[in-house]
Amino acid sequence: MQIRAYGYDNSLDTSQPIHENLSLFPLESRIGGLHPQHHELLYIIEGTLKITINHVTYRLTGPSVLLIPLNTSHHLQFLSLRYRYAYWELQDDANEAFPVPANCDKWNRLQAEPDGSLPAVRLVYERIQALHQVLMAEWMREQPDLARQISYSDIRAILAIIRSVAKPDTKLYGRSSQLPDNRIASTMETIEILVRWMESSYWENFTLQKLCEYAHLNPSYMIRTFKACKGVSPLQFLNNLRMSAAEKYLLESMMSVQDIANATGFQSIHYFSRLFKQKYGKSPAHWRSEHKKTTSVSD
């Protein structure tokens, strides 16, 4: 996960500066909209507000912590004259630290009807308040790298607590799993789910149609989006995984080329050998012979 930006605003001092070393955008643009490339964690420190997220409106009073997934329309309106809030813009990595949209909704509903008796909810408020206070300290503004490190550690911990409170309705997506019908996944999240599925079962008989059905995307859109995210098409990505595995087998096992082709998911030894030669300039057997000699000499 990456912290793209941090910002702060309050009704008492409109000249209050943003953390210039952490923030990329002026606060005036942060009161709502649609953010296709990042999630947002919104911390209402004090004040009463009305916020609409994907056409669902919540009225709540701080302290509150709201989760806004990427590609989610939202609009914020403060109802009290006195307010303070902070936000963090977050980009996920392959580990998907940000909760899935269905669980964001579950957590946000809990903020509208807070249950102060839940220790985990109180812990979220305490940790994010402590993080905000550290980031607002004068000495911290001169140490942006340290601020990012502290933010990274604390935000991951806060999101982990939130995921446990929201009690995810879905399990990790391994092979043979499907996207639940009630789960609204962002396109980028869907691509990452496909990637994890292929990584965990690259040897299976994947087809473009199978991937499209799994992701509920049409082929042309899926190929275009996958390539934009990963730089290659889905099947090229899959073949790269298989080639990496085949390389390991060639170096570290006594398996025949035929068995390696079968073990890594290639439909025939001829297809495997042709792709291998295109990538490495040599047949699998020749490549193995040369590299094993090199390894034995270096050993």
Side-chain angles (χ1 to χ4, degrees):
M1 184 183 68
Q2 297 180 15
I3 312 293
R4 293 181 76 246
Y6 165 77
Y8 170 77
D9 192 20
N10 72 81
S11 58
L12 299 181
D13 180 8
T14 56
S15 65
Q16 173 68 45
I18 309 170
H19 266 255
E20 295 180 355
N21 290 324
L22 280 177
S23 184
L24 302 179
F25 305 105
L27 270 174
E28 288 75 14
S29 67
R30 306 303 309 143
I31 308 301
L34 184 73
H35 315 308
Q37 300 299 325
H38 62 269
H39 310 288
E40 185 171 324
L41 189 154
L42 179 63
Y43 172 37
I44 309 302
I45 303 166
E46 66 174 314
T48 300
L49 75 152
K50 181 171 66 175
I51 184 167
T52 300
I53 303 176
N54 271 352
H55 308 295
V56 177
T57 299
Y58 306 95
R59 181 189 173 105
L60 45 85
T61 300
S64 297
V65 175
L66 291 165
L67 302 180
I68 304 172
L70 52 78
N71 284 327
T72 300
S73 172
H74 62 285
H75 178 74
L76 184 82
Q77 178 185 2
F78 276 94
L79 304 178
S80 57
L81 295 178
R82 181 186 177 96
Y83 65 81
R84 291 187 296 144
Y85 73 92
Y87 69 85
W88 288 260
E89 292 179 1
L90 310 171
Q91 280 185 312
D92 261 341
D93 52 22
N95 295 322
E96 293 292 325
F98 203 84
V100 297
N103 296 314
C104 291
D105 292 341
K106 200 168 186 178
W107 170 263
N108 291 341
R109 287 197 302 271
L110 183 63
Q111 301 308 290
E113 299 178 3
D115 185 350
S117 66
L118 289 176
V121 174
R122 293 202 306 270
L123 182 57
V124 167
Y125 296 158
E126 290 168 3
R127 290 202 65 147
I128 200 166
Q129 179 185 19
L131 172 60
H132 170 67
Q133 289 175 341
V134 168
L135 293 178
M136 291 301 295
E138 287 293 335
W139 61 271
M140 182 60 69
R141 300 188 186 194
E142 300 175 359
Q143 303 187 61
D145 291 341
L146 178 59
R148 286 186 183 277
Q149 291 176 25
I150 294 172
S151 295
Y152 177 84
S153 176
D154 282 11
I155 291 296
R156 286 190 70 92
I158 288 166
L159 292 178
I161 298 168
I162 289 175
R163 287 198 303 271
S164 71
V165 173
K167 298 186 185 301
D169 297 321
T170 58
K171 298 179 180 179
L172 291 178
Y173 299 98
R175 65 178 185 272
S176 78
S177 64
Q178 293 291 326
L179 287 173
D181 291 338
N182 64 349
R183 186 174 188 276
I184 304 174
S186 70
T187 302
M188 289 181 66
E189 182 185 14
T190 299
I191 297 303
E192 292 300 336
I193 291 169
L194 287 176
V195 165
R196 291 203 302 273
W197 186 31
M198 287 189 281
E199 287 176 340
S200 66
S201 49
Y202 61 84
W203 57 85
E204 289 192 352
N205 182 24
F206 283 99
T207 63
L208 181 60
Q209 184 62 31
K210 186 175 182 179
L211 292 171
C212 291
E213 290 175 356
Y214 181 88
H216 305 296
L217 298 173
N218 69 64
S220 61
Y221 179 74
M222 204 265 280
I223 292 172
R224 184 170 67 252
T225 306
F226 195 102
K227 194 167 185 178
C229 293
K230 299 300 174 183
V232 294
S233 71
L235 295 184
Q236 286 172 325
F237 182 87
L238 180 61
N239 280 337
N240 288 340
L241 289 175
R242 290 171 171 172
M243 282 296 176
S244 296
E247 180 182 332
K248 284 287 187 181
Y249 280 125
L250 287 167
L251 284 176
E252 300 175 4
S253 79
M254 299 300 293
M255 293 169 62
S256 68
V257 174
Q258 175 71 68
D259 289 342
I260 290 173
N262 294 336
T264 52
F266 290 101
Q267 297 304 300
S268 73
I269 187 174
H270 304 293
Y271 181 58
F272 167 56
S273 297
R274 179 163 59 85
L275 289 183
F276 193 95
K277 193 167 185 179
Q278 287 176 357
K279 182 173 182 178
Y280 297 98
K282 297 178 176 66
S283 70
H286 190 186
W287 186 92
R288 168 187 256 175
S289 176
E290 284 192 350
H291 282 73
K292 283 206 167 184
K293 285 179 182 178
T294 303
T295 303
S296 62
V297 169
S298 61
D299 291 343

